[in-house]
Amino acid sequence: MSFLHSYRHLFSVLTRRTRNFSHISTRCKAWIETKPSHEKIVLKQFIKCIEETKSNRKTFSTSCTTCSTENAGDGQKTSENQPISFTDRSHLCGCLTTADVGQSVKLCGWVDRVSKLFLKLYDWTGRVQITVPPDMVKMVMSLDRESVVEVKGIVMMRPDSQKRAAVGSGEVEILPSEIKVLNTCNSLMPFHPTCISYQKVTSDVRMEHRYLDIRSVQMQRILRLRSSFIMKAREFLCNNHGFVDVETPTLFRKTPGGAKEFLVPTRRQGRFYSLPQSPQQFKQLLMIGGVDRYFQIARCYRDEAQRPNRQPEFTQLDIEMAFTSQTHIMSLIERLLHHCWPRGAGTLPDTFPVMKYEQALREYGTDKPDTRFDMKLQDISDVMSDCGVVRLASAETVIALRIPEGQKYFSNKELDTLCKPVSDDDKTEIITAKISSADDWKSSISKHLKSSCRDIINKKLQLEPGDILLLCHGAGHFPFEVLGKKRLMTANHLEQKGQAIRNSSDNNIFWVVDFPLFLPKEDESGKLIPGLVESAHHPFTAPIEDDLDLVYSDPNKVRSQHYDLVLNGNEIGGGSVRIHNAKLQKYVLSEILKEDTSELSHLLSALDMGCPPHAGIALGLDRLFAILSGVNNIKDVIAFPKSFMGSCPMSKAPSKLSESDLSLYHLTLKS
């Protein structure tokens, strides 16, 4: 096969000298007539590659083979030049096809499994079968799984009985001339990422040995999905719409309000940096500085209480624009997602629907509703004012939730579990009723409930025999929030029972708008602090212009120019029009939120120096990729995530400091 390598060198020289693919192709076709038949085949392959490159306007690769691989995020077959440049291998394991038969190849990868007949080699593209010659059996059988090897050989067609057309490289095998061990592997591995039993490996073990977990097909697919999506986002923003990618500092100062921040001690006694929750202030300062189209793939940090689906550090696509509006930002994000959305991940509507915050809370009990199933909440407070049941008649709010045919799927014990209070300090009560007929409710309130009231509820909720009715009463918005959580728990329970409630392929994406600008302030335990309010999102959000006077007279009634993007019950982004008036910003901070404005003097000063109107948004990439990848926890889409407790099982961070290190940063530990 030496003539093959000679031709590769020749075409390499040609492509360095000219980009005229037609000229190269013409010369190749002229040479065909002067070559033996076995060399004609090779030349024809080069000509085909050149013509494809010409039509696709791609840079010609000196490797004549193409890689038919499955795009990790797209789920579609594509024909692309293999990413092997600047490496010692000629092909990737999962990219060999029948067109490569007869070629000499060099493959590198990890040993999947071995036998006296075959060696299975894999990399991120898939597996390839190596036929073991008799003189190599002893060496191959000595290899441990996951050892790193290099294989040189000839591509051969597999016997028909062994062909796996649906699998990458499944129709061919390699007859090796050399197998070189690049590195061995400890035989006592905690798990094998390509083994069927991998799915049974606990999350803790996978996190402790994350470098092995990353070799798995699932993790490779997810990480390449991330890379592809972010690349397309950069292309859309920078190349198509003139945005500027600006890196903002991660060492900043403590910011009033919002989530808790991580503090970084310095050698200057009593002085601390703070890791930013987001680049919020910096991107507003960039607008003032005339960088009127900014974006960044930003790392953010929040020292929040441990939650199962949160990470102390996370990634967001951060965007800010000057001289724009809420409508423009929303349109930009819709076009951005259309541009980046992976094939095979379902379709998106041309224009995303819009739902008001008040509607979301009243119908679904949350500002990020999952609208893939109906089961809406019903406010029946007016009906219950004269119902005959004292605790319901005297309640400020009574909300109802109908579970169609619920008696089929809920035992008494399961129903009791569903209706348990959501917290120790619950402000609501849930009453259940099993509907046997229109006149027969099995419930603790049946004896006292007026028939006229029952008839109205039957009609309003369209109750049928076999249904279960949940009634939640309490003050203000609490009954809505409680039943909103029960609604999701009900859907999960019904799906566990085999009912098709939500279609995983649906993309119910929409905007939620008209949020309140301020909410009653709560302490760390969740109890309300009388007389104090806090920002519903952050203190830099502008009020709706029609509500501007209410900022000074009745802040609790002010609506904000904030907008959240919700996908299948998950908030994947949020943004707002910002306050660009220094006086209004100072009033909000000092008079309404009771914050010390000295910590934001730099921003207030900047706002007073010709700040343009501006707005922005941040998309939570980790949560978005979790949805696109079909996983439930965002740690499964992060290369090196933290545990539930905020620690790294692999490196054991956070770690202790020595006395000398503590002294260097003027720190002492309390006993």
Side-chain angles (χ1 to χ4, degrees):
M1 299 294 286
S2 60
F3 62 86
L4 176 62
H5 300 291
S6 298
Y7 284 143
R8 278 187 177 152
H9 175 70
L10 175 61
F11 283 107
S12 177
V13 172
L14 281 171
T15 52
R16 284 199 296 269
R17 291 182 177 178
T18 180
R19 293 297 177 191
N20 189 330
F21 297 118
S22 297
H23 178 61
I24 300 174
S25 179
T26 301
R27 294 187 66 178
C28 290
K29 291 173 181 176
W31 291 337
I32 284 182
E33 303 306 322
T34 67
K35 302 300 177 186
S37 59
H38 62 284
E39 294 186 37
K40 287 181 180 180
I41 296 173
V42 179
L43 271 172
K44 286 179 179 178
Q45 287 183 338
F46 276 112
I47 293 170
K48 180 180 178 182
C49 184
I50 293 168
E51 295 294 345
E52 288 178 353
T53 307
K54 174 187 172 185
S55 63
N56 292 330
R57 298 187 179 274
K58 292 182 180 178
T59 305
F60 177 64
S61 170
T62 56
S63 171
C64 68
T65 46
T66 56
C67 173
S68 295
T69 60
E70 185 168 310
N71 185 312
D74 293 354
Q76 299 288 327
K77 296 289 183 180
T78 59
S79 181
E80 302 174 342
N81 289 326
Q82 297 184 52
I84 54 171
S85 53
F86 310 108
T87 68
D88 291 330
R89 53 190 176 184
S90 66
H91 296 74
L92 296 172
C93 292
C95 297
L96 296 169
T97 68
T98 54
D100 300 311
V101 171
Q103 288 199 46
S104 177
V105 297
K106 182 195 284 187
L107 306 174
C108 298
W110 289 266
V111 174
D112 183 23
R113 51 179 60 90
V114 296
S115 71
K116 293 181 179 180
L117 298 177
F118 302 111
L119 181 155
K120 295 293 181 72
L121 192 69
Y122 82 95
D123 59 23
W124 67 271
T125 62
R127 298 178 181 83
V128 64
Q129 178 171 289
I130 315 294
T131 302
V132 182
D135 60 331
M136 296 185 184
V137 170
K138 184 176 180 180
M139 186 275 289
V140 168
M141 292 301 294
S142 68
L143 292 173
D144 288 315
R145 291 184 69 171
E146 302 301 326
S147 293
V148 186
V149 300
E150 174 186 284
V151 177
K152 295 180 181 177
I154 305 296
V155 181
M156 308 290 288
M157 189 74 75
R158 280 195 193 188
D160 290 341
S161 61
Q162 296 180 18
K163 287 183 179 180
R164 302 289 184 270
V167 180
S169 299
E171 294 185 283
V172 298
E173 61 186 10
I174 307 299
L175 179 62
S177 58
E178 179 185 349
I179 298 178
K180 180 180 178 181
V181 180
L182 302 178
N183 204 352
T184 58
C185 181
N186 189 333
S187 60
L188 300 177
M189 289 182 64
F191 62 89
H192 296 284
T194 59
C195 187
I196 295 176
S197 61
Y198 165 77
Q199 299 297 335
K200 299 179 181 179
V201 179
T202 64
S203 177
D204 291 343
V205 173
R206 288 172 52 204
M207 293 302 103
E208 185 176 355
H209 304 277
R210 189 61 162 181
Y211 42 87
L212 291 179
D213 192 37
I214 288 174
R215 288 186 203 168
S216 68
V217 173
Q218 176 176 308
M219 282 303 304
Q220 288 287 329
R221 180 178 64 85
I222 288 171
L223 293 180
R224 292 172 197 281
L225 166 67
R226 288 187 71 119
S227 176
S228 175
F229 188 100
I230 290 172
M231 179 195 70
K232 290 178 181 178
R234 290 185 186 277
E235 174 188 67
F236 177 84
L237 293 169
C238 287
N239 298 350
N240 297 0
H241 294 283
F243 278 77
V244 182
D245 185 353
V246 182
E247 299 173 17
T248 57
T250 54
L251 291 176
F252 193 39
R253 63 171 297 151
K254 193 174 184 303
T255 305
K260 296 293 183 182
E261 298 169 331
F262 285 100
L263 301 179
V264 181
T266 70
R267 299 187 185 190
R268 297 173 62 190
Q269 188 169 5
R271 298 284 182 169
F272 293 83
Y273 288 115
S274 177
L275 300 182
Q277 306 167 36
S278 77
Q280 181 62 44
Q281 293 186 52
F282 289 111
K283 63 183 181 180
Q284 290 192 244
L285 293 168
L286 285 169
M287 297 302 106
I288 299 168
V291 181
D292 57 359
R293 288 184 172 226
Y294 145 92
F295 89 97
Q296 180 183 186
I297 307 299
R299 298 290 288 171
C300 305
Y301 309 86
R302 293 181 185 174
D303 189 12
E304 297 180 313
Q306 289 81 17
R307 299 184 188 180
N309 208 18
R310 292 288 180 92
Q311 287 284 306
E313 53 180 325
F314 53 95
T315 307
Q316 64 185 36
L317 173 55
D318 205 49
I319 294 173
E320 197 81 8
M321 282 173 43
F323 309 109
T324 189
S325 65
Q326 173 175 317
T327 303
H328 288 318
I329 293 289
M330 290 162 66
S331 296
L332 169 72
I333 296 303
E334 290 171 12
R335 300 282 72 77
L336 169 69
L337 289 179
H338 275 98
H339 182 84
C340 302
W341 203 254
R343 296 194 190 105
T347 59
L348 297 175
D350 291 338
T351 302
F352 300 171
V354 177
M355 181 184 296
K356 291 189 176 183
Y357 168 82
E358 187 66 25
Q359 177 189 353
L361 191 63
R362 284 194 166 274
E363 293 185 357
Y364 301 98
T366 176
D367 57 5
K368 45 182 180 293
D370 189 343
T371 59
R372 287 175 295 173
F373 65 105
D374 195 16
M375 214 179 295
K376 295 180 181 179
L377 310 185
Q378 294 276 357
D379 187 345
I380 57 172
S381 303
D382 55 341
V383 178
M384 306 306 288
S385 59
D386 185 27
C387 66
V389 182
V390 175
R391 62 184 188 274
L392 293 178
S394 60
E396 180 182 338
T397 308
V398 182
I399 308 301
L401 174 66
R402 176 199 173 206
I403 306 175
E405 299 183 316
Q407 295 177 48
K408 285 184 182 180
Y409 308 108
F410 281 91
S411 66
N412 289 334
K413 184 178 180 180
E414 290 169 338
L415 191 57
D416 290 341
T417 301
L418 174 68
C419 296
K420 280 184 178 178
V422 294
S423 67
D424 294 334
D425 186 30
D426 194 54
K427 304 173 180 64
T428 62
E429 179 193 16
I430 296 178
I431 299 170
T432 65
K434 292 184 177 181
I435 313 303
S436 298
S437 67
D439 300 326
D440 185 9
W441 287 13
K442 289 181 170 56
S443 173
S444 60
I445 62 171
S446 296
K447 291 182 179 180
H448 305 286
L449 183 65
K450 292 182 178 180
S451 58
S452 58
C453 179
R454 184 187 59 215
D455 292 341
I456 295 173
I457 297 174
N458 280 331
K459 184 176 181 180
K460 187 170 185 176
L461 275 72
Q462 298 181 338
L463 296 177
E464 298 287 344
D467 291 349
I468 290 177
L469 177 67
L470 303 185
L471 299 175
C472 184
H473 66 92
H477 58 88
F478 292 109
F480 290 100
E481 294 180 355
V482 169
L483 275 197
K485 294 175 181 177
K486 303 304 180 185
R487 173 180 179 269
L488 294 176
M489 291 171 63
T490 298
N492 293 337
H493 179 83
L494 293 176
E495 287 177 337
Q496 290 173 2
K497 296 288 186 177
Q499 295 301 297
I501 302 299
R502 293 170 286 204
N503 189 340
S504 60
S505 64
D506 286 347
N507 291 318
N508 280 31
I509 190 168
F510 55 92
W511 295 99
V512 179
V513 301
D514 286 0
F515 286 83
L517 188 59
F518 306 109
L519 292 173
K521 190 168 186 177
E522 298 179 350
D523 60 20
E524 292 186 358
S525 65
K527 293 183 178 180
L528 296 179
I529 303 175
L532 293 182
V533 297
E534 60 187 355
S535 296
H537 293 93
H538 61 63
F540 313 115
T541 302
I544 287 178
E545 290 187 12
D546 290 345
D547 293 354
L548 187 57
D549 290 342
L550 292 173
V551 172
Y552 303 96
S553 60
D554 194 350
N556 289 313
K557 294 182 179 180
V558 179
R559 294 166 296 164
S560 70
Q561 294 190 63
H562 181 92
Y563 32 88
D564 276 351
L565 185 59
V566 177
L567 172 62
N568 295 346
N570 297 275
E571 178 194 332
I572 62 169
S576 67
V577 176
R578 322 300 187 186
I579 297 174
H580 66 278
N581 179 282
K583 291 181 179 179
L584 176 58
Q585 184 66 82
K586 186 173 183 178
Y587 181 85
V588 168
L589 289 167
S590 60
E591 301 302 321
I592 298 178
L593 300 177
K594 310 300 182 186
E595 297 285 359
D596 180 5
T597 58
S598 63
E599 295 185 354
L600 290 169
S601 58
H602 58 284
L603 179 62
L604 293 172
S605 176
L607 290 175
D608 210 21
M609 296 188 182
C611 177
H614 57 284
I617 193 170
L619 296 180
L621 295 182
D622 301 315
R623 197 169 301 282
L624 176 58
F625 294 141
I627 297 171
L628 292 175
S629 303
V631 298
N632 295 323
N633 199 309
I634 63 171
K635 72 180 181 182
D636 291 326
V637 298
I638 299 172
F640 298 100
K642 300 296 187 292
S643 70
F644 167 66
M645 296 300 292
S647 61
C648 175
M650 182 183 66
S651 67
K652 312 305 180 187
S655 59
K656 293 182 179 180
L657 294 180
S658 66
E659 288 295 333
S660 60
D661 286 336
L662 290 171
S663 176
L664 183 64
Y665 293 103
H666 310 285
L667 298 174
T668 57
L669 298 179
K670 290 184 177 180
S671 57

